[in-house]
Amino acid sequence: MTASAELDETGRADDEPRRSRHAVRLLPGRAALTGLPWDRIGPLLVSALAGALVFHRLGEPHALVWDETYYAKDAWSLLQFGVEHNWNADRQGHPADLHFLSGHPEAGLAGGGEWAAHPPLGKWFIAAGMALLGTGPFGFRAAAALAGVLTVLILARTARRMTGSTVLGCAAGLLVALDGSWLVSSRLAMLDVFLLLWLVAGFACLVVDRDRTRAALAGGAGRFLGRRWRFAAGLCFGLACATKWSAVYVVAFLWVLVILWDRKARKDAGAERPWRATAKLDVPLAFVQFWVVAGAVYLASWWGWFASGTGLQQAVFGRRVPGFQRDWAEYHPSGVWPSFLDPIRSLWHYHAMTLDFHAGVTEPNPAQSWPWEWPWLGHPAVMYRSASDGCGADPCAAEIAHVGTPAIWWAAIAALIAVAAFVRDWRAAAVVGGYLACWLPWFPNALDDRTMYSTYTLPMLPFAVLALVLLAQRLHAALPVTARVAGAVFVLVAAANLYHLHPILTAEPLPEPARQARLWLPGWS
C-alpha cells in the first residue's frame, strides 16, 4: 500500500456533518486494499501498539508505586467489604504494604472504614482487574492498562471524525500512545487514567451528537431532538466525576460548549430566533443530560458505602463494616430533614470533610509542581526510585518519572496557539477550550499553596494532541507534500523521544550516568 492516502478524505473543515469513508484513496493501480474499512482497522492497529507498550512488564516493579499504596489496597477492600477499609500503615505504607505484596493483605487490616479522599468508582475498576487476574502487581494494574488502550482507540476515532481523515485520526491515537505521561499513568493502579478515559469518551459522544444533530436539523427534522448520544455523554461524565472530582471543571466547560453548538446548528438550519429556540428546546434537556444523568451515576457509584453496615452488605460480602461517616447523621439528628434521608446527610457530611481536606493539603513535597510548569514539563513527579543490580553496573537505579514526551508537549504549545489563531471553526473552540478547562482551574489552588502534582496534567493530553492534528490538517491544505513529510518526521521524533525516556518511565534498571542523561531539565531530578 502506498503512503499517498489523503490527509483530509472529506476535503472539508466547516460546520457540515461528515460522512465516514471506508476506503483509503490510493494511487492508480494500487487498489487491492481499497475496500477495507481502514477508518476502523487503523485505530485498532494503533490501539494494539498501545497495548504492547503498556502491558509489557506491567507487573514490574513488584511494589506499590506512589499512590498505589492507597488505591490498590482500597480496591482489594472493595472486593472484600464493598467499602474502603482501614489499614495498619504509617506514611510509607508499612507494614500493610508488605503484607499486601506478599499475598496476605488481610494481615495488614486495622479496624473500621477508611476515610478515602476520592470517590470509589476508579477503585472499583482496579478491583475488577484484581478479581480477574489476582492481587499481584499485574492484577491491580491491568484495569488501568486497559483504560489507557481504550483511550487511544476512542481518541483516534474522534480525531478521524473531527478531521475527516483516517490518517490524522490514527496519528492522534499514536501520539497519545507515544506520550510518557500516558504510558506511566496506564501502567499504575491510580485514578488519573480512568478520569482520562471517561472524559475522552464523553467528548467523543458529544462530537457524534453534534454531527447527527446538524444532519437531522438540515434534513428538516422536528424541533425536538432526543439526543441519545448526549445522554451517553452524561453517563460518561458521571463516571468521570465518580472517579475524581476535578472532572467537574471539564464537564462545565463542555456543557456551555454544546449549548453554543446547538445555537449555531439551529441558526444554520434557518431558525429565526436561534437563541430562543436553544433556550427553550435544548438548554433544559442539556441540563438533564449532563447534570441529572451524571449526578445519578455519581450517587450510584457509592452503592457500596450506602450498603455498608446493613443487611445487604452482610448478604453480599458476609460481614458488616460501616463505611467512613456512614452513621454520622444517626448520631447528629436533624430537626428539619426526615430520618430516611440520613444516608444522604451522612454522605454530604463526608463530602464536606473531604473538600476541606483537599483545600488544606499545603504541606510542601519534593515531587509537587505548579500549574504553570505543566505545559513545558517543568517538574514531573518522580514516583519510584530504587537501587538495582539489574544493569551490570554500580551504581544502578530503577525509576518511574511521570514525564510526558517533550516532543509532543512542547510542540503542542505552539499548535494550540496556531489553532486558536488560524483554525476558524468549532473544532478550535473545543480543543483550545478543553485544554484550558483542564489547566486553568488549578491556578486558584496554586495561589492558595495547594500541593499538586504533574499527574493532574493527564486530561490536557488529548486536547494537546488534537491541536497537533488540526494544525497538521491546516498545513496540509496549504503545503500537502511538505506537511506529509513534516508529519512523518514529527511522529518519528516523538517515537525516538519516548524510546530514549522509556527506561525512566517503566523502572528499567539503568547505570546512574545513563539515568542522569535522561534528566533533561533541572526540575526532572
Side-chain angles (χ1 to χ4, degrees):
M1 189 178 83
T2 181
S4 64
E6 283 190 328
L7 284 181
D8 187 355
E9 295 167 5
T10 63
R12 317 174 72 148
D14 56 16
D15 279 337
E16 294 301 318
R18 293 170 172 79
R19 290 184 178 272
S20 174
R21 293 194 177 184
H22 296 287
V24 178
R25 183 176 298 177
L26 305 175
L27 290 175
R30 297 291 189 89
L33 301 179
T34 301
L36 294 178
W38 286 106
D39 59 327
R40 292 175 171 80
I41 295 174
L44 288 172
L45 292 175
V46 172
S47 302
L49 172 62
L53 288 170
V54 169
F55 281 96
H56 177 62
R57 298 178 60 250
L58 183 61
E60 300 179 31
H62 189 86
L64 289 167
V65 175
W66 194 251
D67 283 351
E68 284 186 331
T69 187
Y70 305 114
Y71 305 133
K73 291 185 301 190
D74 284 350
W76 180 88
S77 296
L78 292 175
L79 286 177
Q80 305 302 315
F81 308 100
V83 71
E84 295 92 339
H85 198 286
N86 264 324
W87 295 84
N88 179 20
D90 58 19
R91 297 192 65 175
Q92 285 71 45
H94 302 310
D97 285 7
L98 298 176
H99 293 302
F100 189 84
L101 291 169
S102 67
H104 303 286
E106 65 281 350
L109 291 174
E114 180 188 44
W115 182 4
H118 294 288
L121 187 63
K123 290 166 279 188
W124 275 113
F125 291 129
I126 296 170
M130 297 171 72
L132 292 173
L133 300 169
T135 60
F138 187 93
F140 61 67
R141 293 170 185 156
L146 179 60
V149 174
L150 289 175
T151 300
V152 170
L153 177 62
I154 295 170
L155 187 70
R157 291 286 297 165
T158 304
R160 192 214 175 275
R161 177 175 285 274
M162 293 177 70
T163 61
S165 167
T166 298
V167 173
L168 288 177
C170 291
L174 182 59
L175 288 175
V176 171
L178 294 177
D179 178 66
S181 63
W182 169 86
L183 181 62
V184 171
S185 299
S186 300
R187 289 174 52 85
L188 296 179
M190 292 176 54
L191 304 182
D192 304 279
V193 74
F194 301 110
L195 172 66
L196 175 70
L197 170 62
W198 296 119
L199 288 177
V200 169
F203 179 72
C205 291
L206 295 181
V207 173
V208 175
D209 171 78
R210 180 190 178 279
D211 282 356
R212 296 197 173 194
T213 296
R214 293 184 66 84
L217 290 173
R223 297 169 62 199
F224 179 81
L225 300 171
R227 318 294 284 274
R228 64 184 182 187
W229 280 98
R230 196 171 288 183
F231 277 106
L235 173 64
C236 293
F237 294 143
L239 296 171
C241 292
T243 301
K244 293 188 82 170
W245 288 351
S246 55
V248 171
Y249 302 129
V250 187
V251 175
F253 163 74
L254 292 175
W255 181 52
V256 174
L257 182 67
V258 298
I259 291 172
L260 297 176
W261 287 355
D262 289 343
R263 184 262 175 193
K264 183 69 164 57
R266 293 193 179 276
K267 179 182 178 182
D268 291 348
E272 294 183 1
R273 297 179 177 179
W275 271 121
R276 176 176 292 185
T278 300
K280 181 179 180 180
L281 299 172
D282 299 319
V283 172
L285 184 60
F287 179 84
V288 172
Q289 291 163 328
F290 270 67
W291 301 109
V292 176
V293 172
V297 172
Y298 180 84
L299 275 179
S301 73
W302 287 86
W303 74 271
W305 183 88
F306 283 116
S308 66
T310 70
L312 178 59
Q313 185 188 37
Q314 179 72 42
V316 175
F317 299 99
R319 63 197 88 189
R320 296 193 187 199
V321 179
F324 182 77
Q325 297 294 306
R326 176 62 178 81
D327 299 328
W328 178 85
E330 181 180 337
Y331 295 102
H332 299 81
S334 169
V336 178
W337 301 103
S339 59
F340 70 84
L341 291 178
D342 280 357
I344 298 296
R345 290 182 56 231
S346 295
L347 186 63
W348 183 270
H349 176 70
Y350 189 166
H351 279 56
M353 291 181 63
T354 304
L355 186 63
D356 287 343
F357 165 77
H358 283 300
V361 179
T362 58
E363 181 179 354
N365 189 302
Q368 74 183 66
S369 63
W370 301 111
W372 46 87
E373 297 177 299
W374 296 348
W376 57 277
L377 311 176
H379 193 74
V382 177
M383 309 173 86
Y384 174 84
R385 185 178 294 163
S386 176
S388 175
D389 57 1
C391 67
D394 188 23
C396 184
E399 177 175 313
I400 297 176
H402 189 271
V403 57
T405 301
I408 296 173
W409 283 84
W410 296 348
I413 298 174
L416 286 158
I417 295 172
V419 167
F422 301 115
V423 179
R424 304 293 185 180
D425 59 43
W426 64 275
R427 301 171 302 168
V431 170
V432 177
Y435 184 94
L436 296 177
C438 296
W439 181 38
L440 295 183
W442 294 104
F443 277 75
N445 293 300
L447 297 177
D448 289 335
D449 292 325
R450 160 105 179 256
T451 307
M452 55 191 71
Y453 304 95
S454 63
T455 55
Y456 300 176
T457 64
L458 194 62
M460 298 161 60
L461 175 64
F463 297 105
V465 166
L466 288 172
L468 287 168
V469 297
L470 290 181
L471 179 60
Q473 186 177 49
R474 178 81 177 187
L475 294 174
H476 180 264
L479 302 166
V481 176
T482 302
R484 289 174 186 173
V485 173
V489 169
F490 178 74
V491 171
L492 290 174
V493 168
N497 200 171
L498 179 70
Y499 178 80
H500 177 68
L501 295 175
H502 191 269
I504 66 169
L505 303 173
T506 59
E508 292 182 23
L510 279 177
E512 183 60 23
R515 187 186 72 84
Q516 290 290 338
R518 287 164 170 80
L519 307 181
W520 290 6
L521 300 179
W524 290 19
S525 59

